[in-house]
Amino acid sequence: MAFGKYEPEQIEEKWQKTWTENGTFHVETDESTPKYYVLEMFPYPSGKIHMGHVRNYSIGDVVARYKRMQGLNVIHPMGWDAFGLPAENAAIKNNTHPAKWTYANIDDMRTQLKRLGYSYDWRRELATCHPGYYKWEQEFFLKFLEKGLVYRKKSPVNWCETCHTVLANEQVEEGLCWRCDSKVEQKELEQWFLRITDYADELLESLNKLDGGWPERVLTMQRNWIGKSIGAELDFAVEGKDETISVFTTRPDTLYGATFMSVAAEHPMVEKLIEGNPEAAKVREFVDKVTNMDRFLRSADDLEKEGVFTGSYCTNPLNGLKMPIYVANFVLMGYGTGAVMAVPAHDQRDFEFAKKYDLPMQVVITPKGETLEADKMTEAYSDPGMLVNSGQFDDMSNEDAKAAIVDYLGQSGKGKKAINYRLRDWNISRQRFWGAPIPIVYCEECGAVPVPEKDLPVVLPEDAVMNEDGRSPLPQMEEFYKTPCPKCGKEARRETDTMDTFVESSWYFLRYTNARKEDGAFDRDALDYWLPVDQYIGGIEHAILHLLYARFFTKALRDEGYTGLDEPFANLLTQGMVLKDGAKMSKSKGNVVDPNAMIGKYGADATRLFILFASPPEKDLEWSDQGIEGSHRFLNRIWRLMEDLEEHLSPVGPCASAEGMELSSDAKNLRRKEHDTIRRVSRDMENKFQFNTAIAAVMELINELYSSREKLTSTEDGRFALSSAISSALAALSPMAPHICEELWSRIGYEGCVSDVSWPHYDEKALETDELLIILQVNGKMRGKLSVPASASKEDFEKEALEHENVVKHIEGKTVRKVIVVPGKLVNIVAN
């Protein structure tokens, strides 16, 4: 056939159609073949893909195609994280139902992703907003409820007025809603919680299993978020009242230095503490002010420390000191007990508070051999040291004193060793429409009653009309909330809150293994075969929220008998962002590059190639118009090379065996370059997916083919070398630019797709060379190069070097003191 011009759109459409018709990327469970599960974090269906999507999914597609060519049974699915506020807000704006808007967007985005030629098994596609998906989520909720892993309580919550919903602590970023950047307020509501803290220890300990597979940065972020602290818990008796204040401290060594008590504004004892205090109204005013402050700001180091005296005192259990009790703005109920024994001489926050309110300080730790005077201190002393003013524990190092004081507290019945976590239970209630309904019915006689499993799913009404102010329509829809009590049959009210959308993304990777199963959430045989995910790919922004919840869900479902899995993701790659002009792409900055425009102009292969070549996957990538033009030129260059060589090529296979053939030196050189390219590409693929250097190696091979083609087309061994080398180039490049490689592969005369061939294996013997190029040095300075037989001995190297014309010139009149030979690399002659 006439070769013609390189037309990316025609070629890409042709091969996408071929893959679809052949079911090329369809995959089934096959116990006889090792599996590989590659997964990119699924997208929210906003309607348009962006360059961040292209990067994420291109990385995953290269991994999937490469592993498939290695002979593994590769599952590579795609779906849609389809519930959430954006769909609801867009539906309100466009006067439509969120389902209609969402499914239209899914259709558009599916078309866009298919245009990029990704190797997804689309039969496994799922959307989390489909009742066939969230039915099982509701089943999980009921199982967890039965076990006690789900509970309901009244709790101060993070409230976003703009979104009209509650946010989990992890969804509040610097005091703002993670979705809309509105200020977050505090509100008290009855909410449903998942008891993730029951798994705190296992979530922490099993991070050790992920060492080497996950980035250390992500492991550290998870460890810090779980925040395990070991210390002591003890009670301070409240003077004049039959009450005690419990305190958790990680610094029992400073107990003798506690001079006042700070409690959170939300502490349940505040009202009792201010009984009889003429200033009670002032305290209540302060409490109201603080409870409406942003929690992030309250825990910030630069917060101005403020408080108010409750009028009550408590007693230090170790030294009997009478300690005033303050409500302080920097103490939170969410950590420990909501009360802090204040040690101003050794804690900077307490130091600033004590200075402001003229409260006493007591030094109990000093540097070894030195003394500290409280009234002369300008900041708290928080370094290690020796105990003073601490009774029987004086002269102990503070580290030894920690254990000794905890032991004493336990023996004397004044306290005990305790462990505390920063991690809080997961609030999953959301006051919005577009989410999975919580399967609970409220009955005046029976209370909160679970919906029977046989009645699942509880389906969102398709005729709901969105409220313009964003409030959920469910509480106003009698046809939804009116229902008989499952226990007594009397009229009851259905729960109108929906689940946090992070619940859906906490188990979707399990459902992919049999996405169409109707008689159960999972096929256990398929789960056991495919899981864990071998390679998970997504942004660092999900390091805490999604990954922690997915790990928790996996363990909770394991304990309910659904899986046998401890950890869902064996390996994690967090790709960098795509930047333009040094900033993250955003509409407000006017620096967005539309992937569809790039595909239309340069083709999917060039778009993929640039996004993979411009930067290692874990680094940020700076968009460059010149860069994508360069990728397009490179593909055109391969096309022209094939056009020149077409009549000389035959389907000998990549890295074809040359056994029994006499190869010319030129053919040997090309073959050496071919095998070295496969060696380098294979290494770069295996070493943290360094696609940029892998592509660079293929580019070098194409250059070698250009420079050697005229010398090799006239001989049989030359044509063999050319055919093998260009076949290897296409096979190695095919995971990155699959369409053009398929087309050129077929034009060589191969039957079938390059996507189906085995990954080429390089031959160590082919890498051997007949001659070596040796660097010649005199006193460490290069004075020439020398080509010698590869079989030459050390003595041959030395002899040839000493006879080299330029070396002779530089040692003339000097005495050679030493000749240093590094075999195969250099000869250095030391002379003076």
Side-chain angles (χ1 to χ4, degrees):
M1 67 164 76
F3 220 85
K5 184 183 176 185
Y6 174 42
E7 299 281 1
E9 187 171 353
Q10 292 178 15
I11 291 168
E12 289 162 5
E13 285 181 1
K14 169 186 171 181
W15 288 102
Q16 288 161 18
K17 183 180 178 184
T18 298
W19 297 329
T20 300
E21 290 175 350
N22 293 347
T24 301
F25 304 114
H26 292 176
V27 64
E28 303 295 343
T29 302
D30 180 1
E31 295 288 349
S32 67
T33 307
K35 65 90 183 180
Y36 194 88
Y37 189 166
V38 58
L39 182 65
E40 306 95 55
M41 294 179 186
F42 65 169
Y44 169 74
S46 59
K48 272 194 169 186
I49 62 169
H50 53 66
M51 277 301 172
H53 289 133
V54 175
R55 190 176 196 201
N56 189 3
Y57 308 146
S58 295
I59 291 168
D61 196 53
V62 175
V63 176
R65 287 173 176 273
Y66 171 65
K67 293 296 181 182
R68 192 169 177 274
M69 293 174 77
Q70 286 188 308
L72 299 176
N73 194 28
V74 175
I75 184 172
H76 186 209
M78 173 52 70
W80 312 98
D81 192 8
F83 273 139
L85 283 173
E88 198 165 336
N89 292 338
I92 293 167
K93 183 178 178 182
N94 295 296
N95 194 28
T96 188
H97 192 283
K100 186 176 180 181
W101 188 86
T102 299
Y103 283 117
N105 283 353
I106 287 173
D107 289 342
D108 289 344
M109 288 183 71
R110 185 191 304 109
T111 299
Q112 293 168 57
L113 292 181
K114 286 186 174 182
R115 180 69 184 83
L116 279 154
Y118 295 137
S119 59
Y120 297 128
D121 183 351
W122 284 104
R123 300 172 307 156
R124 297 175 183 273
E125 180 185 13
L126 58 81
T128 59
C129 64
H130 193 283
Y133 181 85
Y134 65 73
K135 168 184 178 177
W136 307 112
E137 191 167 297
Q138 292 172 342
E139 180 181 291
F140 303 154
F141 179 96
L142 297 178
K143 298 288 189 188
F144 294 165
L145 180 66
E146 186 180 341
K147 185 181 179 180
L149 204 58
V150 168
Y151 65 96
R152 190 170 185 250
K153 70 171 183 177
K154 199 165 190 178
S155 170
V157 295
N158 304 303
W159 179 261
C160 176
E161 185 60 33
T162 303
C163 296
H164 291 282
T165 195
V166 166
L167 303 173
N169 289 339
E170 298 89 338
Q171 293 166 322
V172 180
E173 298 175 350
E174 299 186 9
L176 304 178
C177 172
W178 74 298
R179 281 272 190 209
C180 68
D181 288 336
S182 296
K183 186 177 179 182
V184 174
E185 304 168 5
Q186 297 299 301
K187 220 175 187 181
E188 197 148 285
L189 295 173
E190 288 276 0
Q191 302 284 287
W192 288 99
F193 289 83
L194 275 170
R195 211 181 293 274
I196 190 173
T197 52
D198 279 7
Y199 286 81
D201 259 334
E202 188 184 353
L203 286 167
L204 187 64
E205 290 301 317
S206 60
L207 286 172
N208 295 328
K209 298 178 183 177
L210 304 175
D211 276 336
W214 283 34
E216 189 58 40
R217 177 186 175 191
V218 175
L219 295 175
T220 299
M221 290 168 78
Q222 292 237 338
R223 288 188 178 104
N224 290 344
W225 190 261
I226 296 167
K228 183 176 183 179
S229 301
I230 300 174
E233 193 172 282
L234 62 159
D235 293 335
F236 289 69
V238 179
E239 195 174 82
K241 303 180 191 294
D242 189 20
E243 301 284 352
T244 59
I245 296 176
S246 291
V247 168
F248 171 80
T249 179
T250 59
R251 295 296 307 273
D253 52 323
T254 64
L255 263 167
Y256 282 87
T259 58
F260 62 96
M261 180 71 67
S262 302
V263 299
E266 302 89 349
H267 198 287
M269 280 188 61
V270 169
E271 280 299 321
K272 291 181 180 179
L273 294 172
I274 63 176
E275 281 177 3
N277 182 357
E279 299 289 326
K282 180 181 174 183
V283 178
R284 290 190 184 98
E285 184 182 340
F286 179 78
V287 167
D288 287 343
K289 170 189 166 186
V290 173
T291 52
N292 283 309
M293 283 178 64
D294 167 65
R295 289 186 188 185
F296 176 83
L297 295 177
R298 284 171 67 184
S299 60
D301 290 337
D302 58 355
L303 172 76
E304 183 182 351
K305 313 301 184 284
E306 293 182 338
V308 61
F309 179 44
T310 63
S312 292
Y313 294 84
C314 62
T315 304
N316 187 319
L318 285 191
N319 59 14
L321 181 70
K322 181 179 178 179
M323 298 165 50
I325 305 172
Y326 278 72
V327 178
N329 64 347
F330 56 84
V331 182
L332 301 173
M333 275 305 295
Y335 181 80
T337 63
V340 175
M341 61 169 212
V343 186
H346 303 290
D347 181 278
Q348 187 60 28
R349 189 177 54 177
D350 296 339
F351 181 89
E352 293 170 18
F353 192 89
K355 285 290 187 183
K356 182 169 185 172
Y357 294 102
D358 197 24
L359 294 165
M361 285 194 257
Q362 172 73 292
V363 173
V364 293
I365 300 174
T366 62
K368 194 170 183 177
E370 298 180 33
T371 58
L372 294 176
E373 296 179 42
D375 58 349
K376 294 181 180 177
M377 293 174 71
T378 58
E379 62 180 5
Y381 178 75
S382 56
D383 290 334
M386 307 302 291
L387 261 63
V388 296
N389 302 319
S390 298
Q392 68 194 67
F393 304 102
D394 279 356
D395 299 324
M396 291 182 73
S397 75
N398 73 296
E399 287 301 321
D400 290 341
K402 285 179 182 179
I405 290 174
V406 170
D407 288 343
Y408 172 76
L409 289 170
Q411 292 165 9
S412 61
K414 295 179 178 179
K416 61 183 179 181
K417 184 177 180 179
I419 296 173
N420 197 62
Y421 296 91
R422 180 176 183 265
L423 181 68
R424 300 283 74 131
D425 283 341
W426 178 9
N427 181 343
I428 62 167
S429 292
R430 297 294 178 268
Q431 293 67 45
R432 294 301 294 249
F433 171 79
W434 194 233
I438 294 174
I440 292 290
V441 170
Y442 298 104
C443 173
E444 287 189 5
E445 290 193 18
C446 305
V449 181
V451 173
E453 285 186 24
K454 66 181 179 61
D455 294 338
L456 299 180
V458 177
V459 180
L460 285 173
E462 294 181 6
D463 57 348
V465 178
M466 300 295 103
N467 292 313
E468 288 186 10
D469 63 0
R471 287 178 298 111
S472 170
L474 293 178
Q476 287 84 47
M477 297 184 68
E478 287 192 3
E479 63 272 34
F480 176 78
Y481 70 73
K482 272 193 174 181
T483 187
C485 171
K487 265 190 179 179
C488 69
K490 293 182 180 178
E491 186 174 306
R493 184 181 181 92
R494 197 182 294 284
E495 171 68 83
T496 55
D497 281 0
T498 54
M499 291 192 222
D500 180 9
T501 55
F502 276 102
V503 177
E504 284 85 63
S505 60
S506 294
W507 63 280
Y508 77 106
F509 46 90
L510 302 171
R511 181 68 177 170
Y512 278 141
T513 58
N514 194 334
R516 298 290 174 268
K517 186 174 175 63
E518 294 183 359
D519 59 350
F522 311 118
D523 176 335
R524 182 59 189 267
D525 289 341
L527 274 186
D528 290 345
Y529 175 73
W530 289 116
L531 271 296
V533 174
D534 294 282
Q535 185 64 59
Y536 200 34
I537 304 164
I540 190 69
E541 65 271 19
H542 300 294
I544 295 173
L545 291 176
H546 163 57
L547 291 172
L548 186 66
Y549 292 155
R551 295 180 61 229
F552 159 67
F553 238 81
T554 299
K555 296 172 190 302
L557 290 174
R558 173 203 63 197
D559 291 346
E560 286 298 314
Y562 286 99
T563 82
L565 192 64
D566 292 330
E567 285 290 339
F569 313 121
N571 296 285
L572 173 69
L573 183 137
T574 52
Q575 88 278 359
M577 293 188 296
V578 181
L579 311 176
K580 190 167 191 293
D581 305 324
K584 184 178 179 180
M585 290 186 185
S586 71
K587 290 179 182 177
S588 61
K589 292 190 177 85
N591 64 346
V592 173
V593 176
D594 179 12
N596 296 312
M598 294 299 104
I599 295 166
K601 185 175 182 180
Y602 299 107
D605 281 338
T607 304
R608 289 169 56 125
L609 196 66
F610 167 72
I611 215 93
L612 295 163
F613 181 59
S615 174
E618 71 279 4
K619 303 290 186 185
D620 288 345
L621 181 155
E622 178 69 31
W623 180 265
S624 162
D625 292 339
Q626 293 78 18
I628 192 168
E629 287 168 5
S631 294
H632 183 63
R633 284 196 303 272
F634 171 64
L635 296 179
N636 260 301
R637 196 160 185 262
I638 298 175
W639 187 267
R640 292 194 305 273
L641 176 65
M642 275 291 300
E643 187 176 21
D644 288 350
L645 293 176
E646 184 180 21
E647 63 183 277
H648 303 291
L649 300 178
S650 58
V652 300
C655 290
S657 171
E659 191 172 345
M661 295 184 69
E662 281 291 330
L663 298 180
S664 66
S665 60
D666 288 332
K668 282 183 180 179
N669 287 338
L670 178 58
R671 188 164 184 266
R672 185 179 306 113
K673 185 65 177 179
E674 172 194 0
H675 285 252
D676 185 54
T677 299
I678 296 302
R679 180 186 66 83
R680 290 166 59 192
V681 173
S682 302
R683 176 198 64 198
D684 292 342
M685 289 285 206
E686 296 293 340
N687 180 27
K688 297 183 180 178
F689 308 124
Q690 300 302 297
F691 307 129
N692 55 326
T693 51
I695 294 167
V698 177
M699 289 177 170
E700 289 180 21
L701 178 57
I702 295 300
N703 289 340
E704 185 74 19
L705 280 159
Y706 260 99
S707 63
S708 59
R709 67 189 191 280
E710 290 183 5
K711 294 180 285 187
L712 294 172
T713 52
S714 59
T715 64
E716 183 180 346
D717 68 310
R719 291 189 292 273
F720 166 84
L722 287 169
S723 297
S724 178
I726 202 156
S727 297
S728 290
L730 294 176
L733 192 64
S734 66
M736 296 85 156
H739 309 88
I740 189 173
C741 292
E742 291 282 18
E743 180 66 21
L744 297 180
W745 185 262
S746 70
R747 294 197 182 202
I748 292 174
Y750 289 105
E751 296 289 333
C753 294
V754 70
S755 301
D756 291 328
V757 305
S758 297
W759 185 254
H761 291 282
Y762 66 90
D763 184 350
E764 289 284 357
K765 289 184 178 179
L767 299 175
E768 295 173 0
T769 182
D770 294 335
E771 291 193 334
L772 299 172
L773 191 64
I774 302 300
I775 303 296
L776 304 180
Q777 295 178 339
V778 176
N779 295 327
K781 293 184 178 180
M782 192 175 87
R783 297 305 182 190
K785 295 180 181 179
L786 183 66
S787 184
V788 297
S791 59
S793 66
K794 183 177 177 181
E795 291 73 22
D796 292 334
F797 285 0
E798 185 174 329
K799 180 175 180 294
E800 293 284 345
L802 289 169
E803 292 175 357
H804 189 275
E805 182 181 358
N806 204 36
V807 171
V808 170
K809 176 182 171 184
H810 281 89
I811 63 174
E812 190 175 354
K814 298 176 182 177
T815 302
V816 174
R817 303 295 180 184
K818 186 188 291 187
V819 179
I820 302 166
V821 178
V822 180
K825 293 186 177 180
L826 65 84
V827 178
N828 181 28
I829 298 161
V830 180
N832 58 25

